[in-house]
Amino acid sequence: MLMAIRLRGMDAGETLALTQAMASSGRTLAWPPAWHGLVVDKHSTGGVGDKVSLALAPALAACGCKVRGTQGWGGDGGGSTSPCAHVCPPPPQVPMISGRGLGHTGGTLDKLEAVPGFCVSQSPEEMQHILERVGCCIVGQSAELVPADRVLYGLRDVTATVDSLPLITASILSKKAAEQLAALVLDVKFGGAALYPTQESARELARSLVDVGTHLGIRTVALLTRMEQPLGRAVGNALEVLEALECLEGAGPPDLRHLVTVLGGVLLWQCGMEQGAEQGRKRLTRALDDGSALGKFEAMLGAQGVPPDTARDLCTGTPTQRRQLLGEAKVCEELPAPQEGWVQEVRALPLARVLHHLGAGRERAGDPVNLRVGAELLVGTGQHLRAGEGGDPRSPPCQPWLRVHHEGTLSAERRHELQDALCLGPEPPRDLPPLVAETILNHAPSSVTTPRPLPSLLRPLPIVPVPAAAARALRAASGRTGGGGHRAKVKAMLRSLRPIQQLCPALCHPQRRLSVPPACPRLPLRQRLAVASAVAGAVAAGWLYLRHQKEEQHRARRLRHLRALSLGQGDFELRDTSGTPRRKADFLGRWVLLYFGFTHCPDVCPEELEKLSRAVELLERDPALPPVQPLFVTVDPERDDAAALARYLRDFHPRLMGLTGTTEQVRAAAAKFRVYVSAGPRDADGDYVVDHSVLTFLVDPDGMFRDCYGRSRTAEEVARSVRAHMETYQPLPAAGGE
């Protein structure tokens, strides 16, 4: 299913259906009626140094109407309330369900777990209790919430479907739909250190998220933000917590503060707390400057398991005290500038990759992370750096540009990679692009349960009472033929009906004067059938034309996806049983049925090769069909040399060709078709079994993957499917003609 979605794509309705099905696969959160329209959240597609959620959640919680006497809302603990408590809405509730870092991108949960005692695992009941007390919480995904997403996410990782746009949309929004949100702001990042390298590709994802989110009844806005440089000055879990605290105190890096206030301002506007995004941004700024956001953060830490003394010291202590609470790496090393110049940019991706190798990130979910490893930027874009010569005592000291926190030694290779992240130029940079590149939203969000307005031509006209005299005249006119005098009377009566002219100006416009057509004699049956057939034919022709256009668009989109999965994806080098080198070009122009297996397989591979041979024989019975080349590629080159393959394939179809090569060559060829290969443990005799994907692939004469067949498909079904693909086959256009 995932491969079908990856190859064929999904339209908006299909993506919405998948999202709803995933959201309803588990438990959904329910909130008190008083919170209606105020439950909001933010989601980021991941970046380097992105600690926005740590500052945004408490700042949003601090932006509501202050109610005295209510625990957690800034009250004094007394029993009296402010008079505005009866007229002002409650503050927005911010239940953020966040994730962990993977690859070079950081995770919000990893950052918060750098705080001693912070617990990210909270039940829905505990979440509601925290929201009632504080107004915000940041937790991990519960096992009861959207279990289908966890299953599909694990499968996407091993089926090379992680980058599928519909699957990304459904994965993100299914969790947000289960949260029962009123408003959602999306930070969709693009650039060298983001999931999407270009603004155009990020816009496509943002548009999909906004459209589906709006149909789910969530007021959804997406901001396209740049991720070429790290956000802020700190990269690394504990260091980013320290920088988030600076932002909550009204200070911190300008780019971090700007993004927090912009995202929060949009959310306050979307949930109705402010008249516009700019007013919401100013309100967020006040919450950061007056200390109320920092107070909410301290309350959130205490509500999620941090000891009160630790939470207080972390939020009110000095930078040194905060570092001691979070822990410090064993080594703190500063790198000097390699040469003199103006800082053009600091590239985020090389910096993140080095920190990842030093222990700050994980390759797969569940890997350990060193929360103290990180880096601090000591320079900013547009700053002039001076380089000294450390060996000459008379020269000025070297100016550092980066402070690295790590646990061991920094090798020369890692130092070189870090220096590559710093881009210097002879002149100051000019015309720096804005951090927020584009905003995408639907100005009239609606729920899927709200019917869409009918097209203008199909909207029902207003019902206007007609006087009895006019009704009698109309009935009389409709019952007679000819009757020009009656038509004149009806026209005069209609002109006197001012309510109709006022409510239906389009029908009563002077240039489109109302008239009653003359009655005509009833047409014979044959002529009526001819007219009906002509109308039906015109409608059918129009429908077929629109269908053809849609199929052409779908085919062009599918071919673009198929081109990315073409046979060899560049080229491959294997050998057949005679020792002849075989490459991709050798099989272009022919239909190919390809199977990956190994000769020592006890049962599965022989059965699949028998089925493949039988399918080829069935196709050969029709001389009008082009020939099909059956191929067998071994996944066990250690034992399956050319001679072993020749002996093994002798029992199957006479044209079945076997291919082998070195271990690297075979693994590379298997990777082109997303075939999973893993050798099992050896027994006492040195024998072992190779675990692999059991699929037969169909490749067309252009070298494009067309279909695949699992164990449940019979030889007859495979032959029928191949025949259908042959009958509908059209050669691919050249790459430049798309």
Side-chain angles (χ1 to χ4, degrees), residues 508-557:
C508 302
H509 193 275
Q511 296 180 358
R512 296 182 57 190
R513 185 169 300 174
L514 283 174
S515 62
V516 179
C520 58
R522 193 177 184 86
L523 294 175
L525 177 61
R526 181 175 299 176
Q527 294 183 13
R528 280 183 284 158
L529 291 177
V531 172
S533 300
V535 173
V539 172
W543 178 80
L544 290 174
Y545 174 77
L546 293 176
R547 180 184 176 185
H548 175 72
Q549 291 294 107
K550 185 176 181 180
E551 289 178 348
E552 286 297 317
Q553 294 174 359
H554 177 75
R555 178 178 176 271
R557 183 173 64 251

Short mmCIF file of all heavy atoms in Angstrom, two decimals, residues 508-557:
data_model
loop_
_atom_site.label_atom_id
_atom_site.label_comp_id
_atom_site.label_asym_id
_atom_site.label_seq_id
_atom_site.Cartn_x
_atom_site.Cartn_y
_atom_site.Cartn_z
N CYS A 508 -34.13 39.56 -14.26
CA CYS A 508 -35.00 40.65 -14.67
C CYS A 508 -34.22 41.84 -15.20
O CYS A 508 -34.70 42.96 -15.20
CB CYS A 508 -35.87 41.09 -13.50
SG CYS A 508 -36.88 39.74 -12.85
N HIS A 509 -32.95 41.64 -15.56
CA HIS A 509 -32.15 42.73 -16.09
C HIS A 509 -32.76 43.22 -17.39
O HIS A 509 -33.28 42.42 -18.18
CB HIS A 509 -30.71 42.24 -16.33
CG HIS A 509 -29.74 43.36 -16.57
ND1 HIS A 509 -29.55 43.90 -17.81
CD2 HIS A 509 -28.94 44.04 -15.71
CE1 HIS A 509 -28.65 44.87 -17.73
NE2 HIS A 509 -28.26 44.97 -16.46
N PRO A 510 -32.69 44.53 -17.66
CA PRO A 510 -33.29 45.03 -18.90
C PRO A 510 -32.75 44.35 -20.15
O PRO A 510 -33.47 44.17 -21.13
CB PRO A 510 -32.93 46.52 -18.88
CG PRO A 510 -32.78 46.86 -17.44
CD PRO A 510 -32.22 45.63 -16.80
N GLN A 511 -31.48 43.96 -20.11
CA GLN A 511 -30.92 43.30 -21.30
C GLN A 511 -31.30 41.84 -21.36
O GLN A 511 -31.04 41.18 -22.35
CB GLN A 511 -29.40 43.45 -21.29
CG GLN A 511 -28.93 44.89 -21.40
CD GLN A 511 -27.44 44.99 -21.39
OE1 GLN A 511 -26.74 44.00 -21.26
NE2 GLN A 511 -26.93 46.22 -21.54
N ARG A 512 -31.86 41.30 -20.28
CA ARG A 512 -32.30 39.90 -20.28
C ARG A 512 -33.75 39.89 -19.82
O ARG A 512 -34.08 39.34 -18.79
CB ARG A 512 -31.43 39.06 -19.36
CG ARG A 512 -29.99 38.96 -19.78
CD ARG A 512 -29.22 38.08 -18.85
NE ARG A 512 -29.82 36.75 -18.78
CZ ARG A 512 -29.47 35.82 -17.91
NH1 ARG A 512 -28.54 36.08 -17.03
NH2 ARG A 512 -30.06 34.64 -17.91
N ARG A 513 -34.62 40.56 -20.57
CA ARG A 513 -36.01 40.74 -20.15
C ARG A 513 -36.72 39.40 -20.08
O ARG A 513 -36.56 38.55 -20.95
CB ARG A 513 -36.71 41.67 -21.14
CG ARG A 513 -38.13 42.03 -20.75
CD ARG A 513 -38.65 43.15 -21.61
NE ARG A 513 -37.82 44.34 -21.47
CZ ARG A 513 -37.98 45.44 -22.21
NH1 ARG A 513 -38.90 45.49 -23.13
NH2 ARG A 513 -37.17 46.47 -22.01
N LEU A 514 -37.50 39.25 -19.02
CA LEU A 514 -38.25 38.01 -18.86
C LEU A 514 -39.30 37.90 -19.95
O LEU A 514 -39.97 38.87 -20.31
CB LEU A 514 -38.94 37.98 -17.50
CG LEU A 514 -38.05 37.67 -16.31
CD1 LEU A 514 -38.84 37.82 -15.03
CD2 LEU A 514 -37.52 36.27 -16.41
N SER A 515 -39.46 36.73 -20.46
CA SER A 515 -40.50 36.48 -21.46
C SER A 515 -40.95 35.05 -21.33
O SER A 515 -40.21 34.19 -20.84
CB SER A 515 -39.98 36.75 -22.88
OG SER A 515 -38.90 35.87 -23.18
N VAL A 516 -42.15 34.79 -21.75
CA VAL A 516 -42.69 33.44 -21.74
C VAL A 516 -42.62 32.92 -23.16
O VAL A 516 -43.21 33.53 -24.07
CB VAL A 516 -44.14 33.42 -21.22
CG1 VAL A 516 -44.68 32.02 -21.26
CG2 VAL A 516 -44.17 33.99 -19.81
N PRO A 517 -41.90 31.86 -23.43
CA PRO A 517 -41.76 31.38 -24.80
C PRO A 517 -43.10 30.86 -25.32
O PRO A 517 -43.93 30.39 -24.56
CB PRO A 517 -40.74 30.24 -24.67
CG PRO A 517 -40.84 29.80 -23.26
CD PRO A 517 -41.18 31.01 -22.47
N PRO A 518 -43.29 30.97 -26.59
CA PRO A 518 -44.55 30.46 -27.15
C PRO A 518 -44.62 28.96 -27.02
O PRO A 518 -43.61 28.26 -27.09
CB PRO A 518 -44.47 30.90 -28.62
CG PRO A 518 -43.01 31.03 -28.90
CD PRO A 518 -42.40 31.51 -27.63
N ALA A 519 -45.83 28.50 -26.78
CA ALA A 519 -46.04 27.05 -26.68
C ALA A 519 -45.83 26.43 -28.05
O ALA A 519 -46.22 26.99 -29.07
CB ALA A 519 -47.44 26.76 -26.17
N CYS A 520 -45.22 25.28 -28.09
CA CYS A 520 -44.94 24.62 -29.35
C CYS A 520 -45.57 23.24 -29.33
O CYS A 520 -45.76 22.63 -28.28
CB CYS A 520 -43.44 24.51 -29.58
SG CYS A 520 -42.60 23.62 -28.26
N PRO A 521 -45.91 22.72 -30.47
CA PRO A 521 -46.51 21.39 -30.51
C PRO A 521 -45.52 20.33 -30.05
O PRO A 521 -44.31 20.49 -30.16
CB PRO A 521 -46.88 21.22 -31.99
CG PRO A 521 -45.96 22.16 -32.71
CD PRO A 521 -45.78 23.32 -31.80
N ARG A 522 -46.02 19.26 -29.48
CA ARG A 522 -45.20 18.17 -28.96
C ARG A 522 -44.48 17.47 -30.11
O ARG A 522 -45.09 17.10 -31.11
CB ARG A 522 -46.08 17.18 -28.22
CG ARG A 522 -45.32 16.19 -27.37
CD ARG A 522 -46.29 15.31 -26.62
NE ARG A 522 -45.60 14.41 -25.72
CZ ARG A 522 -45.23 14.71 -24.49
NH1 ARG A 522 -45.49 15.93 -24.02
NH2 ARG A 522 -44.60 13.85 -23.71
N LEU A 523 -43.17 17.26 -29.96
CA LEU A 523 -42.39 16.63 -31.02
C LEU A 523 -42.68 15.14 -31.07
O LEU A 523 -42.99 14.51 -30.04
CB LEU A 523 -40.90 16.84 -30.76
CG LEU A 523 -40.39 18.29 -30.86
CD1 LEU A 523 -38.93 18.34 -30.46
CD2 LEU A 523 -40.57 18.82 -32.26
N PRO A 524 -42.54 14.55 -32.22
CA PRO A 524 -42.70 13.10 -32.31
C PRO A 524 -41.64 12.38 -31.47
O PRO A 524 -40.59 12.93 -31.15
CB PRO A 524 -42.52 12.81 -33.81
CG PRO A 524 -42.77 14.11 -34.49
CD PRO A 524 -42.34 15.17 -33.53
N LEU A 525 -41.94 11.12 -31.15
CA LEU A 525 -41.06 10.35 -30.29
C LEU A 525 -39.67 10.20 -30.90
O LEU A 525 -38.65 10.31 -30.20
CB LEU A 525 -41.67 8.96 -30.04
CG LEU A 525 -40.82 8.00 -29.20
CD1 LEU A 525 -40.58 8.59 -27.81
CD2 LEU A 525 -41.49 6.63 -29.11
N ARG A 526 -39.60 9.96 -32.20
CA ARG A 526 -38.30 9.77 -32.83
C ARG A 526 -37.43 11.01 -32.72
O ARG A 526 -36.23 10.93 -32.43
CB ARG A 526 -38.50 9.40 -34.30
CG ARG A 526 -37.19 9.14 -35.06
CD ARG A 526 -37.47 8.67 -36.47
NE ARG A 526 -38.23 7.41 -36.45
CZ ARG A 526 -38.66 6.81 -37.56
NH1 ARG A 526 -38.41 7.35 -38.75
NH2 ARG A 526 -39.34 5.68 -37.49
N GLN A 527 -38.06 12.20 -32.92
CA GLN A 527 -37.28 13.43 -32.82
C GLN A 527 -36.85 13.69 -31.38
O GLN A 527 -35.74 14.17 -31.12
CB GLN A 527 -38.10 14.60 -33.35
CG GLN A 527 -38.40 14.52 -34.85
CD GLN A 527 -39.14 15.74 -35.35
OE1 GLN A 527 -39.23 16.73 -34.64
NE2 GLN A 527 -39.68 15.65 -36.57
N ARG A 528 -37.76 13.41 -30.44
CA ARG A 528 -37.38 13.58 -29.04
C ARG A 528 -36.21 12.68 -28.66
O ARG A 528 -35.29 13.07 -27.93
CB ARG A 528 -38.57 13.31 -28.13
CG ARG A 528 -39.55 14.49 -28.05
CD ARG A 528 -40.66 14.20 -27.08
NE ARG A 528 -41.64 13.28 -27.67
CZ ARG A 528 -42.47 12.52 -26.97
NH1 ARG A 528 -42.41 12.55 -25.66
NH2 ARG A 528 -43.32 11.73 -27.56
N LEU A 529 -36.24 11.44 -29.13
CA LEU A 529 -35.13 10.53 -28.87
C LEU A 529 -33.84 11.03 -29.50
O LEU A 529 -32.75 10.91 -28.92
CB LEU A 529 -35.46 9.13 -29.37
CG LEU A 529 -36.56 8.37 -28.60
CD1 LEU A 529 -36.83 7.03 -29.27
CD2 LEU A 529 -36.13 8.15 -27.16
N ALA A 530 -33.95 11.60 -30.70
CA ALA A 530 -32.76 12.12 -31.37
C ALA A 530 -32.17 13.29 -30.59
O ALA A 530 -30.95 13.38 -30.41
CB ALA A 530 -33.11 12.54 -32.80
N VAL A 531 -33.05 14.20 -30.12
CA VAL A 531 -32.56 15.34 -29.34
C VAL A 531 -31.91 14.85 -28.05
O VAL A 531 -30.84 15.30 -27.64
CB VAL A 531 -33.71 16.32 -29.05
CG1 VAL A 531 -33.25 17.40 -28.06
CG2 VAL A 531 -34.19 16.97 -30.34
N ALA A 532 -32.61 13.91 -27.37
CA ALA A 532 -32.05 13.39 -26.12
C ALA A 532 -30.71 12.70 -26.36
O ALA A 532 -29.76 12.84 -25.57
CB ALA A 532 -33.04 12.42 -25.47
N SER A 533 -30.60 11.96 -27.46
CA SER A 533 -29.34 11.28 -27.77
C SER A 533 -28.24 12.29 -28.05
O SER A 533 -27.08 12.11 -27.64
CB SER A 533 -29.53 10.35 -28.96
OG SER A 533 -30.52 9.37 -28.69
N ALA A 534 -28.58 13.37 -28.77
CA ALA A 534 -27.57 14.38 -29.07
C ALA A 534 -27.06 15.05 -27.79
O ALA A 534 -25.86 15.26 -27.61
CB ALA A 534 -28.15 15.42 -30.03
N VAL A 535 -28.01 15.38 -26.89
CA VAL A 535 -27.60 16.00 -25.63
C VAL A 535 -26.75 15.04 -24.80
O VAL A 535 -25.71 15.40 -24.25
CB VAL A 535 -28.85 16.45 -24.84
CG1 VAL A 535 -28.44 16.95 -23.45
CG2 VAL A 535 -29.57 17.55 -25.59
N ALA A 536 -27.21 13.77 -24.71
CA ALA A 536 -26.44 12.78 -23.95
C ALA A 536 -25.05 12.57 -24.55
O ALA A 536 -24.06 12.42 -23.84
CB ALA A 536 -27.20 11.46 -23.89
N GLY A 537 -24.99 12.56 -25.89
CA GLY A 537 -23.70 12.39 -26.54
C GLY A 537 -22.76 13.55 -26.24
O GLY A 537 -21.56 13.35 -26.01
N ALA A 538 -23.30 14.78 -26.26
CA ALA A 538 -22.46 15.94 -25.95
C ALA A 538 -21.96 15.88 -24.51
O ALA A 538 -20.79 16.16 -24.24
CB ALA A 538 -23.26 17.23 -26.19
N VAL A 539 -22.86 15.51 -23.58
CA VAL A 539 -22.44 15.39 -22.18
C VAL A 539 -21.38 14.31 -22.03
O VAL A 539 -20.37 14.48 -21.33
CB VAL A 539 -23.66 15.11 -21.29
CG1 VAL A 539 -23.22 14.80 -19.86
CG2 VAL A 539 -24.60 16.30 -21.30
N ALA A 540 -21.61 13.15 -22.67
CA ALA A 540 -20.64 12.05 -22.58
C ALA A 540 -19.30 12.44 -23.18
O ALA A 540 -18.24 12.12 -22.63
CB ALA A 540 -21.20 10.81 -23.27
N ALA A 541 -19.33 13.16 -24.31
CA ALA A 541 -18.08 13.59 -24.93
C ALA A 541 -17.31 14.54 -24.01
O ALA A 541 -16.09 14.44 -23.85
CB ALA A 541 -18.37 14.24 -26.27
N GLY A 542 -18.05 15.47 -23.40
CA GLY A 542 -17.39 16.38 -22.46
C GLY A 542 -16.80 15.65 -21.27
O GLY A 542 -15.68 15.94 -20.83
N TRP A 543 -17.57 14.66 -20.76
CA TRP A 543 -17.07 13.91 -19.61
C TRP A 543 -15.83 13.09 -19.99
O TRP A 543 -14.86 13.04 -19.23
CB TRP A 543 -18.16 12.99 -19.09
CG TRP A 543 -17.73 12.14 -17.94
CD1 TRP A 543 -17.63 12.50 -16.64
CD2 TRP A 543 -17.33 10.76 -18.01
NE1 TRP A 543 -17.19 11.46 -15.88
CE2 TRP A 543 -16.99 10.37 -16.70
CE3 TRP A 543 -17.22 9.83 -19.04
CZ2 TRP A 543 -16.56 9.09 -16.39
CZ3 TRP A 543 -16.80 8.55 -18.73
CH2 TRP A 543 -16.48 8.19 -17.43
N LEU A 544 -15.87 12.47 -21.18
CA LEU A 544 -14.72 11.69 -21.62
C LEU A 544 -13.49 12.57 -21.83
O LEU A 544 -12.36 12.17 -21.53
CB LEU A 544 -15.06 10.94 -22.92
CG LEU A 544 -16.06 9.78 -22.78
CD1 LEU A 544 -16.41 9.23 -24.15
CD2 LEU A 544 -15.47 8.68 -21.90
N TYR A 545 -13.72 13.79 -22.33
CA TYR A 545 -12.59 14.70 -22.53
C TYR A 545 -11.96 15.07 -21.19
O TYR A 545 -10.73 15.05 -21.03
CB TYR A 545 -13.05 15.95 -23.26
CG TYR A 545 -11.99 17.01 -23.37
CD1 TYR A 545 -10.95 16.90 -24.30
CD2 TYR A 545 -12.00 18.13 -22.54
CE1 TYR A 545 -9.97 17.86 -24.39
CE2 TYR A 545 -11.02 19.09 -22.62
CZ TYR A 545 -10.00 18.96 -23.55
OH TYR A 545 -9.03 19.92 -23.62
N LEU A 546 -12.80 15.42 -20.21
CA LEU A 546 -12.28 15.77 -18.89
C LEU A 546 -11.58 14.58 -18.25
O LEU A 546 -10.53 14.73 -17.59
CB LEU A 546 -13.42 16.26 -17.99
CG LEU A 546 -14.06 17.59 -18.41
CD1 LEU A 546 -15.24 17.91 -17.48
CD2 LEU A 546 -13.05 18.72 -18.37
N ARG A 547 -12.16 13.39 -18.44
CA ARG A 547 -11.52 12.20 -17.89
C ARG A 547 -10.17 11.95 -18.54
O ARG A 547 -9.19 11.60 -17.86
CB ARG A 547 -12.44 10.99 -18.10
CG ARG A 547 -11.87 9.69 -17.56
CD ARG A 547 -12.79 8.55 -17.88
NE ARG A 547 -12.20 7.29 -17.45
CZ ARG A 547 -12.75 6.09 -17.67
NH1 ARG A 547 -13.90 6.01 -18.31
NH2 ARG A 547 -12.15 5.00 -17.27
N HIS A 548 -10.10 12.15 -19.85
CA HIS A 548 -8.83 11.97 -20.55
C HIS A 548 -7.79 12.96 -20.05
O HIS A 548 -6.62 12.59 -19.84
CB HIS A 548 -9.05 12.15 -22.05
CG HIS A 548 -7.78 12.10 -22.85
ND1 HIS A 548 -7.07 10.95 -23.07
CD2 HIS A 548 -7.08 13.11 -23.47
CE1 HIS A 548 -6.00 11.22 -23.79
NE2 HIS A 548 -5.98 12.51 -24.05
N GLN A 549 -8.21 14.21 -19.84
CA GLN A 549 -7.27 15.21 -19.34
C GLN A 549 -6.76 14.83 -17.96
O GLN A 549 -5.57 14.95 -17.66
CB GLN A 549 -7.95 16.58 -19.28
CG GLN A 549 -8.27 17.17 -20.64
CD GLN A 549 -6.99 17.50 -21.42
OE1 GLN A 549 -6.65 16.82 -22.37
NE2 GLN A 549 -6.31 18.54 -21.01
N LYS A 550 -7.66 14.36 -17.10
CA LYS A 550 -7.25 13.97 -15.76
C LYS A 550 -6.31 12.77 -15.80
O LYS A 550 -5.32 12.71 -15.07
CB LYS A 550 -8.48 13.65 -14.91
CG LYS A 550 -8.15 13.34 -13.46
CD LYS A 550 -9.40 13.12 -12.65
CE LYS A 550 -9.04 12.83 -11.19
NZ LYS A 550 -10.26 12.62 -10.36
N GLU A 551 -6.60 11.79 -16.67
CA GLU A 551 -5.73 10.63 -16.78
C GLU A 551 -4.35 11.04 -17.30
O GLU A 551 -3.33 10.48 -16.86
CB GLU A 551 -6.37 9.60 -17.70
CG GLU A 551 -7.58 8.90 -17.09
CD GLU A 551 -8.21 7.92 -18.06
OE1 GLU A 551 -7.85 7.97 -19.26
OE2 GLU A 551 -9.07 7.12 -17.62
N GLU A 552 -4.30 11.99 -18.23
CA GLU A 552 -3.01 12.43 -18.74
C GLU A 552 -2.20 13.11 -17.64
O GLU A 552 -0.99 12.89 -17.51
CB GLU A 552 -3.22 13.39 -19.91
CG GLU A 552 -3.67 12.72 -21.19
CD GLU A 552 -2.62 11.75 -21.72
OE1 GLU A 552 -1.44 12.09 -21.70
OE2 GLU A 552 -2.99 10.63 -22.11
N GLN A 553 -2.87 13.93 -16.82
CA GLN A 553 -2.16 14.57 -15.71
C GLN A 553 -1.67 13.53 -14.71
O GLN A 553 -0.56 13.60 -14.21
CB GLN A 553 -3.08 15.58 -15.02
CG GLN A 553 -3.46 16.76 -15.91
CD GLN A 553 -4.48 17.66 -15.24
OE1 GLN A 553 -4.93 17.40 -14.12
NE2 GLN A 553 -4.88 18.71 -15.94
N HIS A 554 -2.56 12.55 -14.42
CA HIS A 554 -2.17 11.50 -13.48
C HIS A 554 -1.01 10.69 -14.03
O HIS A 554 -0.07 10.34 -13.30
CB HIS A 554 -3.38 10.60 -13.21
CG HIS A 554 -3.06 9.44 -12.32
ND1 HIS A 554 -2.88 9.58 -10.96
CD2 HIS A 554 -2.88 8.12 -12.59
CE1 HIS A 554 -2.61 8.41 -10.43
NE2 HIS A 554 -2.61 7.51 -11.40
N ARG A 555 -1.05 10.39 -15.32
CA ARG A 555 0.02 9.60 -15.93
C ARG A 555 1.33 10.37 -15.91
O ARG A 555 2.40 9.80 -15.59
CB ARG A 555 -0.35 9.26 -17.37
CG ARG A 555 0.75 8.48 -18.11
CD ARG A 555 0.31 8.13 -19.52
NE ARG A 555 1.40 7.48 -20.23
CZ ARG A 555 2.33 8.13 -20.93
NH1 ARG A 555 2.28 9.45 -21.01
NH2 ARG A 555 3.28 7.47 -21.56
N ALA A 556 1.29 11.67 -16.20
CA ALA A 556 2.52 12.46 -16.17
C ALA A 556 3.12 12.50 -14.77
O ALA A 556 4.33 12.37 -14.58
CB ALA A 556 2.24 13.88 -16.67
N ARG A 557 2.24 12.64 -13.76
CA ARG A 557 2.74 12.66 -12.38
C ARG A 557 3.31 11.31 -12.00
O ARG A 557 4.36 11.21 -11.36
CB ARG A 557 1.60 13.03 -11.43
CG ARG A 557 2.04 13.15 -9.98
CD ARG A 557 0.93 13.70 -9.10
NE ARG A 557 -0.21 12.82 -9.04
CZ ARG A 557 -1.39 13.07 -9.61
NH1 ARG A 557 -1.55 14.20 -10.27
NH2 ARG A 557 -2.39 12.22 -9.51
#
